[in-house]
Amino acid sequence: GAVVSQHPSRVICKSGTSVKIECRSLDFQATTMFWYRQFPKKSLMLMATSNEGSKATYEQGVEKDKFLINHASLTLSTLTVTSAHPEDSSFYICSARDGRGKRANEKLFFGSGTQLSVL
Amino acid sequence: QKEVEQNSGPLSVPEGAIASLNCTYSDRGSQSFFWYRQYSGKSPELIMSIYSNGDKEDGRFTAQLNKASQYVSLLIRDSQPSDSATYLCAVTDSGAGSYQLTFGKGTKLSVIP
């Protein structure tokens, strides 16, 4: 399957700092990437859809000024958690669609995730 | 509101048995269905996709889809301890041009040696 690289895998930061998470599609171009967050023992919650060359689309209840998304190229999307607070501590996962193959444009492949801990 | 329902479990099966995981969805127009496996602390891994009614087999995994009943299932034959994980059912939204997935909360499977 397609490879999506995400880093860092773990971040521990002080309250009030900003954290940037990178998501790269390594062997395909991804015009659309998705950002999820997951709390312990809970399911994935879509935060936003990242579109190359345009503004991200945020889900209801997700603060766009808090979670800045930049999708400047076909292989890279970044999520910046600004002025992080302890309640932002979560597992953040990116995913991208691989457009190759039959109906493959609907398959999502996930990055390895970033565990954010805000002290 | 589109919903995907799964029994949270845990579902415990002995090694070598068949594990049966079930999922129902509310959006009758959904066209694509996926099963992801997620180990604790890791991101989800796609293991099966199914688009048409009936069964689809891949190794020890069989996905079953019944659109009339809005039901999709995953069977794992000859279950192994390494299959112990949370299995997420995901359904593509039916909106035109939309490729967003709605995930269920997942079923935790434990395979007992």
Side-chain angles (χ1 to χ4, degrees), chain B residues 58-100:
Chain B
D58 183 0
R60 296 187 295 113
F61 299 99
T62 299
Q64 299 174 318
L65 175 62
N66 184 325
K67 290 185 178 181
S69 300
Q70 295 175 236
Y71 173 90
V72 59
S73 66
L74 179 70
L75 300 178
I76 306 175
R77 291 182 299 281
D78 188 24
S79 296
Q80 301 297 309
S82 59
D83 294 327
S84 298
T86 296
Y87 289 81
L88 301 171
C89 172
V91 176
T92 305
D93 290 350
S94 62
S98 171
Y99 297 106
Q100 290 184 5

Side-chain angles (χ1 to χ4, degrees), chain A residues 1-6 23-36 46 48-51 71 73-77 93-100 104-112, chain B residues 34 36 43-44 46 99 101 103:
Chain A
V3 179
V4 177
S5 173
Q6 181 177 347
C23 181
R24 294 180 184 271
S25 56
L26 295 186
D27 54 354
F28 65 100
Q29 293 182 332
T31 56
T32 303
M33 292 185 177
F34 302 92
W35 287 95
Y36 295 83
L46 179 66
T49 301
S50 171
N51 303 296
H71 194 156
S73 76
L74 288 171
T75 60
L76 174 64
S77 175
I93 313 173
C94 72
S95 68
R97 243 182 19 243
D98 180 358
R100 299 169 298 183
N105 60 351
E106 295 176 64
K107 291 183 179 178
L108 285 185
F109 294 92
F110 287 85
S112 55
Chain B
F34 306 91
Y36 287 84
S43 63
L46 178 67
Y99 297 106
L101 289 181
F103 284 87

